[in-house]
Amino acid sequence: MSTIAHKLQAVESTIQAACADAKRPREAVQLLAVSKTFGADAVLDALDAGQSSFGENYLQEALDKIALVAAARPQARVEWHFIGPIQSNKTRPLAAQFDWVHTVERLKIAQRLSEQRPPELPPLNVCLQVNISGEASKSGVAPADLPELARQVAALPRIKLRGLMAIPEPETDVSKQRAAFAQVRALFDQLNQDGYQLDTLSMGMSGDMAAAIAEGATIVRIGSAIFGERTYA
Ligand SMILES: *Cc1c(COP(=O)(O)O)cnc(C)c1O
């Protein structure tokens, strides 16, 4: 078995244990393998080990990889999720090549994605990224501005608003990890009380996936625990 297949198995065990602890079914949590900085070979390794959804942060790198993977495994059903910062002049390939975009934080981006989603594809799945750390430098919509953004994005025709995404400050203390995820969960619950039918909470990474699952994550975005440490060029 490849190293990646081994690591995928270890992540799977962690997810299963966290689901059992939280009394949630395993199927309630989707594992998104975050392949940024790793090549198409790593994705193919994971794909051959049964992993089918992948998250990418950098558009050009992702587009190259999507093409290589499609050429190498033309029959495979691969789901691509964009989880990086979005530049407003680069939304067209996002709308055409991805199944999900997790990092929408402005109406203008959502409008462009909706306009540019090709008509032959189903509506683009979108999460709104929320900033619960409250720092001006961080990405994500402020909780106070979330209801208005959700209202506007939900009205766009070629987008399906699925839920919320967050990247809390890195924290080693599990109770602090949980407290941050609980804030995201509370915003999610409030929107659903307001009449939305959101089903997705994208939260939890290699260092905090168990805490995220305990607080209701439905997608965990796992990179280094599957592919190893990243080195940036
Ligand atoms: C890189 C990245 C991840 C994966 O992080 P790991 O700590 O390697 O699991 C998850 N989400 C986002 C938004 C990322 O940029």
Side-chain angles (χ1 to χ4, degrees), residues 3 21 36 47 57-58 72 74 82 86 102 146 161 179 187 190 193 195 199:
T3 310
D21 285 349
K36 65 171 178 231
L47 193 62
N57 291 58
Y58 310 109
F82 192 78
I86 303 170
H102 291 224
L146 177 62
L161 179 60
L187 294 168
Q190 184 59 55
Q193 274 168 31
D199 60 8

Side-chain angles (χ1 to χ4, degrees), residues 180-195:
F181 292 132
Q183 287 181 50
V184 188
R185 172 62 186 267
L187 294 168
F188 173 84
D189 287 343
Q190 184 59 55
L191 288 172
N192 278 338
Q193 274 168 31
D194 293 344

Side-chain angles (χ1 to χ4, degrees), residues 34 36 57 83 165 167 205-206 221-224 230:
V34 176
K36 65 171 178 231
N57 291 58
I83 63 171
M165 180 273 204
I167 313 173
M205 318 202 319
S206 293
R221 309 178 308 265
I222 309 301
S224 50
R230 287 179 291 274

Side-chain angles (χ1 to χ4, degrees), residues 160-179:
K160 188 166 169 60
L161 179 60
R162 298 294 297 265
L164 302 181
M165 180 273 204
I167 313 173
E169 290 290 289
E171 219 8 291
T172 49
D173 182 282
V174 174
S175 61
K176 287 182 186 159
Q177 291 175 353
R178 285 192 58 162

Side-chain angles (χ1 to χ4, degrees), residues 12 15 18-19 24 27 33 36 39 71 88-89 98 110 116 133 155-156 159 167 176 192 214 220-221:
E12 176 59 32
I15 294 173
C19 286
R24 301 179 60 200
E27 313 81 71
K36 65 171 178 231
S88 60
N89 60 341
F98 286 81
Q116 294 169 343
S133 327
L156 296 171
I159 274 182
I167 313 173
K176 287 182 186 159
N192 278 338
V220 289
R221 309 178 308 265

Side-chain angles (χ1 to χ4, degrees), residues 3-232:
T3 310
I4 287 173
H6 267 291
K7 288 185 166 168
L8 265 172
Q9 240 174 31
V11 168
E12 176 59 32
S13 301
T14 303
I15 294 173
Q16 279 177 14
C19 286
D21 285 349
K23 301 193 165 46
R24 301 179 60 200
R26 170 65 188 89
E27 313 81 71
V29 180
Q30 180 184 0
L31 170 57
L32 182 68
V34 176
S35 42
K36 65 171 178 231
T37 78
F38 293 94
D41 286 355
V43 171
L44 293 174
D45 240 4
L47 193 62
D48 294 343
Q51 175 65 30
S52 59
S53 44
F54 295 88
E56 288 285 339
N57 291 58
Y58 310 109
L59 183 59
Q60 193 52 54
E61 179 194 329
L63 296 176
D64 295 344
K65 224 177 286 182
I66 290 170
L68 286 167
V69 169
R73 298 287 185 282
Q75 310 294 347
R77 287 253 215 110
V78 186
E79 201 176 86
W80 291 99
H81 295 228
F82 192 78
I83 63 171
I86 303 170
Q87 287 174 263
S88 60
N89 60 341
K90 300 214 175 125
T91 48
R92 191 175 295 280
L94 279 183
Q97 304 270 350
F98 286 81
D99 303 290
W100 286 72
V101 175
H102 291 224
T103 40
V104 170
E105 55 176 7
R106 293 189 281 146
L107 178 61
K108 182 180 162 207
I109 299 282
Q111 283 169 331
R112 293 176 67 99
L113 290 171
S114 180
E115 282 161 17
Q116 294 169 343
R117 181 68 168 170
E120 68 276 12
L121 295 179
L124 182 67
N125 297 296
V126 160
C127 292
L128 302 178
Q129 182 176 356
V130 287
N131 175 4
I132 50 155
S133 327
E135 293 160 46
S137 63
K138 276 278 179 138
S139 21
V141 60
D145 300 328
L146 177 62
E148 178 66 3
L149 182 63
R151 190 180 64 74
Q152 293 169 318
V153 172
L156 296 171
R158 297 290 294 143
I159 274 182
K160 188 166 169 60
L161 179 60
R162 298 294 297 265
L164 302 181
M165 180 273 204
I167 313 173
E169 290 290 289
E171 219 8 291
T172 49
D173 182 282
V174 174
S175 61
K176 287 182 186 159
Q177 291 175 353
R178 285 192 58 162
F181 292 132
Q183 287 181 50
V184 188
R185 172 62 186 267
L187 294 168
F188 173 84
D189 287 343
Q190 184 59 55
L191 288 172
N192 278 338
Q193 274 168 31
D194 293 344
Y196 295 90
Q197 291 178 320
L198 307 180
D199 60 8
T200 302
L201 263 176
S202 166
M203 57 189 196
M205 318 202 319
S206 293
D208 54 15
M209 67 182 118
I213 290 169
E215 296 297 340
T218 67
I219 298 181
V220 289
R221 309 178 308 265
I222 309 301
S224 50
I226 296 172
F227 297 107
E229 290 305 315
R230 287 179 291 274
T231 47
Y232 292 90

